[in-house]
Amino acid sequence: MTLLWAGQEIRWTVEPRRGRLARMERKALTVALTDGDEEEFARLLDAVPDDELAGPEGVALLEAAARAGRAEAVRELVNLRRVDASRPWAGGVDPVGWAAERGLVDVLRYLLGGRDRSSALHRRALRIAKAALAADPTGPEARRAVISMLEFDLGLYRAPDTLMARALVHADPNHPDWEESLLVLACRADRELVDWACARVLDAPSLDARRFALDALHHLGFGLNCSGGDEDEEPDFAEVAVAFLRPLLDIEQDPYALKTVLYALAMHNWKDHRAALPHIEHVDAAVRRAAVIAVAGAFARPAVVPDRDLVAALLRRAADADPEVRRETAGAFTHAVRGPAADVDQQISAAVLRLADDPVPAVRAAATHALYCSRLDTPGLRAVLTARLDDADVDIDVRIRAAGMLAARGDLRGRAVLDGISRGLTGHRSPGHGTMGDVRHMLKMYASPDSPW
């Protein structure tokens, strides 16, 4: 670049931005991946132009994300930033083969989910996963999950008994083999699979097989009721599932099975909420949590006055010793605190305000979300919202919602926090960007003369 100054030419070279990622930013991004700091990774990545990720720097960053097991970072890089997942890593390592061999099903899913999806890549990954499984059939790696996922993507639909058998090798509901078998069944949901799951619950050869079959009935709820056709020709799939599951509430002794039945009933749009009340006091916290979710459906429509016994049961769970039960209880009251202020049950609003100041961050976050768009305006509400503004233990979305609710009530502290967070958002991928848009829309609603608030 040349500049004429004081009659003399001054020349200097401006270093192009391309390539700076390798020298300056990649280390910080890699540290964020290693530390598992997703917000920091997203913030740093948002400042990197797409063209800098198109070459070796992007491939090196993708390798770091995959080796750290950060599936969401892999998704961001491949699906949103268009990093080429087919390009070899350092030393000529094939990314797809590397993930398939190690059974990293979520990492592989996102490596294969880019713009240029290739069935050839899927088939190669399937061959590698099968070979690795044959060489070590008892290993802990989730190679069966990889195989199930790839077969489904390629249109190779396996029998449900085959998928169940894969899940039962490790017999761990938290293992990806179990989870992927359920996901594949849910994606294929039809009446035949419902009948299969019901039959397996009744004739399961083991406790683990029975648990898997109940899990399948739960997950089939994600894909049911989409069959089309004449409703009069056959019962709704959800009705079939509910008719089978409802009697189990009265006889089930296995806590895992009982909580799964409650989850499944809730998933299938069950209406008999009072039948869950005996289990909302269960000694097992996981069952209590499932019962809260089952009962919560009674509060889903603000115009409906909920049963007082249901309200009393949930109010007791607002003080449960288990934080996950308290968190679900806060979510259950979401619709109950969003009606006209005069109609909100004072016991419910007091319980949600206490939960919004709970010692556990996840409970505070759930309660703050429940209060979002509430028409309440009390000193207690403003106090808990103000406490969230600088709450370092909750994520940025919670702070944005709290600030927005204060701003909507004319509190200048909320507006100042919103302005400060807005200045720190560098783009649409920044943490909090989506929530900030929702809050701005909410504030426009408050300012509108037609606002219900």
Side-chain angles (χ1 to χ4, degrees):
M1 183 176 294
T2 303
L3 176 68
L4 185 65
W5 182 73
Q8 298 183 12
E9 281 190 352
I10 299 175
R11 300 176 183 273
W12 74 95
T13 300
V14 177
E15 182 183 3
R17 175 164 171 84
R18 174 177 288 279
R20 285 175 57 193
L21 174 63
R23 294 192 304 273
M24 297 172 58
E25 292 142 314
R26 198 194 328 162
K27 181 178 180 180
L29 284 159
T30 303
V31 169
L33 288 170
T34 303
D35 292 345
D37 190 339
E38 294 182 2
E39 283 196 14
E40 178 67 2
F41 177 79
R43 185 188 69 79
L44 291 169
L45 187 65
D46 199 56
V48 179
D50 286 344
D51 63 344
E52 291 192 9
L53 297 172
E57 293 89 349
V59 174
L61 190 58
L62 177 61
E63 179 178 3
R67 290 189 183 278
R70 306 300 174 191
E72 284 302 314
V74 172
R75 182 190 68 83
E76 172 81 9
L77 290 166
V78 176
N79 289 231
L80 301 179
R81 306 304 299 273
R82 306 305 188 192
V83 175
D84 188 352
S86 66
R87 292 184 61 173
W89 293 345
V93 173
D94 168 28
V96 168
W98 177 88
E101 184 177 12
R102 286 158 179 78
L104 301 176
V105 62
D106 287 332
V107 169
L108 180 62
R109 193 191 318 276
Y110 295 136
L111 286 173
L112 293 170
R115 177 172 45 189
D116 301 319
R117 291 174 58 90
S118 167
S119 61
L121 282 178
H122 283 72
R123 288 193 293 271
R124 187 172 83 224
L126 182 58
R127 289 194 300 270
I128 292 170
K130 285 183 174 180
L133 178 61
D136 183 17
T138 61
E141 295 84 1
R143 292 165 182 144
R144 292 175 182 83
V146 166
I147 291 169
S148 296
M149 183 264 287
L150 292 169
E151 287 177 340
F152 178 79
D153 284 352
L154 289 167
L156 304 172
Y157 299 154
R158 299 307 182 200
D161 282 322
T162 299
L163 294 168
M164 182 171 73
R166 291 173 181 174
L168 295 180
V169 170
H170 297 294
D172 178 2
N174 296 314
H175 194 283
D177 287 352
W178 185 292
E179 295 171 346
E180 194 65 29
S181 288
L182 291 174
L183 178 59
V184 169
L185 287 171
C187 291
R188 294 166 46 189
D190 58 24
R191 174 61 184 274
E192 185 178 351
L193 283 174
V194 174
D195 292 341
W196 169 85
C198 292
R200 289 298 171 271
V201 171
L202 296 176
D203 67 4
S206 67
L207 177 62
D208 288 324
R210 187 168 184 275
R211 288 176 171 180
F212 181 85
L214 285 168
D215 265 345
L217 275 175
H218 172 205
H219 283 74
L220 286 169
F222 292 107
L224 295 179
N225 308 315
C226 301
S227 60
D230 188 345
E231 292 183 359
D232 295 331
E233 292 181 0
E234 61 179 4
D236 182 88
F237 288 163
E239 292 179 3
V240 174
V242 168
F244 176 81
L245 291 164
R246 171 59 186 87
L248 299 181
L249 279 184
D250 300 327
I251 61 175
E252 192 56 64
Q253 299 298 312
D254 173 30
Y256 184 95
L258 181 56
K259 74 177 178 63
T260 306
V261 169
L262 287 162
Y263 283 136
L265 286 167
M267 177 59 67
H268 290 289
N269 201 26
W270 178 53
K271 297 294 193 298
D272 186 14
H273 306 291
R274 286 186 62 88
L277 283 178
H279 308 295
I280 209 164
E281 311 283 350
H282 198 279
V283 65
D284 190 299
V287 175
R288 297 200 301 276
R289 195 156 61 241
V292 167
I293 291 173
V295 167
F299 297 80
R301 294 178 299 278
V304 177
V305 178
D307 187 304
R308 297 312 303 175
D309 290 338
L310 299 182
V311 172
L314 281 184
L315 287 173
R316 290 193 295 273
R317 297 285 63 79
D320 198 281
D322 184 86
E324 283 299 301
V325 175
R326 300 198 302 276
R327 183 178 67 82
E328 293 295 352
T329 302
F333 281 137
T334 296
H335 289 287
V337 295
R338 289 189 180 177
D343 296 341
V344 175
D345 186 303
Q346 291 186 2
Q347 286 185 296
I348 292 177
S349 61
V352 178
L353 288 176
R354 286 195 301 273
L355 292 168
D357 214 19
D358 194 270
V360 177
V363 179
R364 298 200 296 272
T368 303
H369 181 71
L371 290 166
Y372 186 60
C373 289
S374 168
R375 307 179 203 182
L376 298 172
D377 188 7
T378 65
L381 173 64
R382 294 199 181 204
V384 297
L385 295 178
T386 301
R388 299 290 73 74
L389 296 180
D390 58 357
D391 188 343
D393 294 322
V394 298
D395 64 33
I396 192 171
D397 295 311
V398 178
R399 301 197 297 276
I400 292 172
R401 289 191 183 99
M405 285 187 281
L406 284 171
R409 289 156 177 78
D411 194 309
L412 297 180
R413 293 170 295 183
R415 178 61 68 179
V417 169
L418 285 178
D419 291 343
I421 293 176
S422 292
R423 287 192 292 271
L425 299 179
T426 58
H428 71 278
R429 287 182 288 266
S430 295
H433 180 274
T435 302
M436 183 65 75
D438 291 341
V439 166
R440 286 172 177 156
H441 177 72
M442 182 266 291
L443 291 176
K444 289 180 182 178
M445 289 290 294
Y446 263 88
S448 169
D450 299 324
S451 168
W453 290 281

